[in-house]
Amino acid sequence: MNQTNKGKELLTMAKEKVLIVLWTTGRCNLACKYCYAGSTHLKADMDFETAAQTLDLFSDHTMKIQFAGGEPLLNYPLICRVADYVKAKGYDASFQMQTNGTCITPEIAVGLKKMKIALGVSLDGPPEVNEFTRGKTREVIAGIQYLADEGIKINLNSVVTSHSVMQLPKLVNFAYYLGNVGGIGLDLLREAGRARDNTDTIQKASPEQLQKALKGMVETARELYELTDKKIVIREIHEARQRLKMSPCSKAYCYASCGRSYVVLPNGDVYPCGSLIDEPAYYMGNVKKPPLKNVAIGRAEPEICKICDFYAVCPGGCPSRLLINDNDGEDRSLDCVLKKTAFEIARKSS
């Protein structure tokens, strides 16, 4: 039995969609103050053979392939080869990427469009905020404009910290200025990697700040829509509206929470979530030596959840972030504050 067939033994479920995260490189050209991947020692690039072995393991599944890192575009040739390989093999797959945007050139923008890669660009706020937490903001904006020149719509992903939280409504304004932003999503701070080393400047937002900022984002988006007829979706509000329409619905938070996520590092090691790549307890094996273990990230559920108006539709907080932030389920996390505020806003505006 060859390695590909042996690897397929791990796929005991029906042919459900799986998330394959290819960690194309551990290198990055930024030094974000909170980067949870900043502690990993894997600075190498993934080679094509490792990527191909990974995709072959899941060849009879529908795959959502995400390019991550590090900064994935630092290994752009691999991304191109993966896209060609998927097409040649006829695999049922879609592509997405989270990038810091600094490496995007006019030529790369053309390539990303051709490969039909859905793009998320990291931007923590208006320029002065992003420059403090991430840097190279001028290059990020240039990269976004190169994408706009090709007619590529993007979503912004913003890490929420005490430094950035109250500037989030201004980020909505800035997104309108950029022109090709369809939505903004919020990523609450994970107390791992560099965030643990920069507690003097990078801290979690308070519940009150988070509530006020989310309401401000929604109000800013509404005012601009009335003036321009152009809509920017706030991801958390959109998801809350969708869940309220489908009550009751699945409470699965993400692919990793239901055992269908495989984050593959450059050396072939596999974990269920990129936030847990330094946690031996979540090691799933190596794509070069299948089969892989199936790991679903569980989470504690506070008793307060069971008396919440939104219990039937809320997926709870990010299970890996709750683990990293040492939230043991005994009290409300910032995830809870964010979800509940989003549900309340969505219910009032529906």
Side-chain angles (χ1 to χ4, degrees), residues 211-344:
Q211 289 173 317
K212 185 175 181 180
L214 187 58
K215 292 175 182 177
M217 293 178 75
V218 171
E219 182 61 21
T220 301
R222 183 191 64 79
E223 291 175 352
L224 288 170
Y225 176 66
E226 291 177 353
L227 289 171
T228 67
D229 201 35
K230 179 181 175 183
K231 182 177 292 186
I232 288 186
V233 174
I234 309 302
R235 181 183 63 198
E236 285 67 25
I237 306 301
H238 174 73
E239 291 180 353
R241 287 197 181 108
Q242 294 302 109
R243 285 184 169 273
L244 288 172
K245 291 177 183 177
M246 301 186 323
S247 176
C249 63
S250 170
K251 290 170 67 67
Y253 184 88
C254 62
Y255 285 91
S257 67
C258 50
R260 292 189 285 123
S261 173
Y262 302 85
V263 178
V264 185
L265 300 184
N267 65 356
D269 286 346
V270 184
Y271 293 82
C273 177
S275 299
L276 301 174
I277 59 176
D278 288 328
E279 299 291 337
Y282 292 92
Y283 178 67
M284 301 169 72
N286 191 290
V287 296
K288 300 172 184 177
K289 298 178 181 180
L292 305 176
K293 291 191 296 183
N294 181 261
V295 175
I297 306 175
R299 64 179 178 87
E301 186 174 78
E303 286 298 315
I304 195 173
C305 287
K306 297 177 183 178
I307 60 173
C308 177
D309 290 346
F310 307 108
Y311 179 68
V313 293
C314 181
C318 169
S320 62
R321 182 164 51 233
L322 293 176
L323 284 169
I324 291 169
N325 290 0
D326 296 323
N327 187 287
D328 59 9
E330 295 301 319
D331 56 13
R332 292 179 70 203
S333 65
L334 276 184
D335 283 79
C336 175
V337 173
L338 180 60
K339 287 285 190 300
K340 189 167 186 177
T341 303
F343 277 123
E344 289 172 345

Side-chain angles (χ1 to χ4, degrees), residues 45-337:
D45 289 352
M46 178 180 285
D47 58 37
F48 174 69
E49 289 69 25
T50 301
Q53 285 176 313
T54 301
L55 301 181
D56 290 344
L57 285 177
F58 298 91
S59 60
D60 60 352
H61 277 57
T62 297
M63 292 180 277
K64 178 183 286 188
I65 300 170
Q66 182 180 89
F67 301 109
E71 168 47 44
L73 286 175
L74 289 176
N75 196 2
Y76 179 65
L78 174 68
I79 294 170
C80 296
R81 290 193 69 182
V82 166
D84 288 342
Y85 187 73
V86 166
K87 183 177 181 180
K89 287 284 190 175
Y91 290 160
D92 182 7
S94 59
F95 298 112
Q96 60 184 40
M97 181 193 303
Q98 186 65 37
T99 173
N100 64 34
T102 62
C103 297
I104 298 171
T105 63
E107 294 75 21
I108 287 178
V110 170
L112 295 174
K113 182 177 182 179
K114 181 179 179 181
M115 291 183 281
K116 298 180 180 178
I117 300 177
L119 291 169
V121 177
S122 299
L123 193 71
D124 289 347
E128 65 276 11
V129 171
N130 192 74
E131 194 63 25
F132 175 80
T133 56
R134 301 181 61 82
K136 295 192 177 182
T137 306
R138 187 184 299 274
E139 289 90 334
V140 179
I141 295 171
I144 292 173
Q145 291 305 303
Y146 292 139
L147 296 173
D149 291 343
E150 294 302 320
I152 299 174
K153 279 273 198 180
I154 65 167
N155 290 316
L156 298 181
N157 187 71
S158 179
V159 175
V160 181
T161 68
S162 58
H163 180 81
S164 67
V165 61
M166 298 315 297
Q167 302 301 315
L168 288 173
K170 291 184 179 179
L171 178 60
V172 178
N173 278 306
F174 192 63
Y176 274 85
Y177 159 77
L178 292 172
N180 60 329
V181 176
I184 301 173
L186 304 181
D187 185 11
L188 300 175
L189 180 69
R190 298 165 195 260
E191 297 174 293
R194 293 197 189 99
R196 288 177 176 168
D197 300 326
N198 290 304
T199 54
D200 55 331
T201 56
I202 296 295
Q203 299 174 2
K204 292 189 294 185
S206 71
E208 295 76 19
Q209 287 176 322
L210 186 58
Q211 289 173 317
K212 185 175 181 180
L214 187 58
K215 292 175 182 177
M217 293 178 75
V218 171
E219 182 61 21
T220 301
R222 183 191 64 79
E223 291 175 352
L224 288 170
Y225 176 66
E226 291 177 353
L227 289 171
T228 67
D229 201 35
K230 179 181 175 183
K231 182 177 292 186
I232 288 186
V233 174
I234 309 302
R235 181 183 63 198
E236 285 67 25
I237 306 301
H238 174 73
E239 291 180 353
R241 287 197 181 108
Q242 294 302 109
R243 285 184 169 273
L244 288 172
K245 291 177 183 177
M246 301 186 323
S247 176
C249 63
S250 170
K251 290 170 67 67
Y253 184 88
C254 62
Y255 285 91
S257 67
C258 50
R260 292 189 285 123
S261 173
Y262 302 85
V263 178
V264 185
L265 300 184
N267 65 356
D269 286 346
V270 184
Y271 293 82
C273 177
S275 299
L276 301 174
I277 59 176
D278 288 328
E279 299 291 337
Y282 292 92
Y283 178 67
M284 301 169 72
N286 191 290
V287 296
K288 300 172 184 177
K289 298 178 181 180
L292 305 176
K293 291 191 296 183
N294 181 261
V295 175
I297 306 175
R299 64 179 178 87
E301 186 174 78
E303 286 298 315
I304 195 173
C305 287
K306 297 177 183 178
I307 60 173
C308 177
D309 290 346
F310 307 108
Y311 179 68
V313 293
C314 181
C318 169
S320 62
R321 182 164 51 233
L322 293 176
L323 284 169
I324 291 169
N325 290 0
D326 296 323
N327 187 287
D328 59 9
E330 295 301 319
D331 56 13
R332 292 179 70 203
S333 65
L334 276 184
D335 283 79
C336 175
V337 173

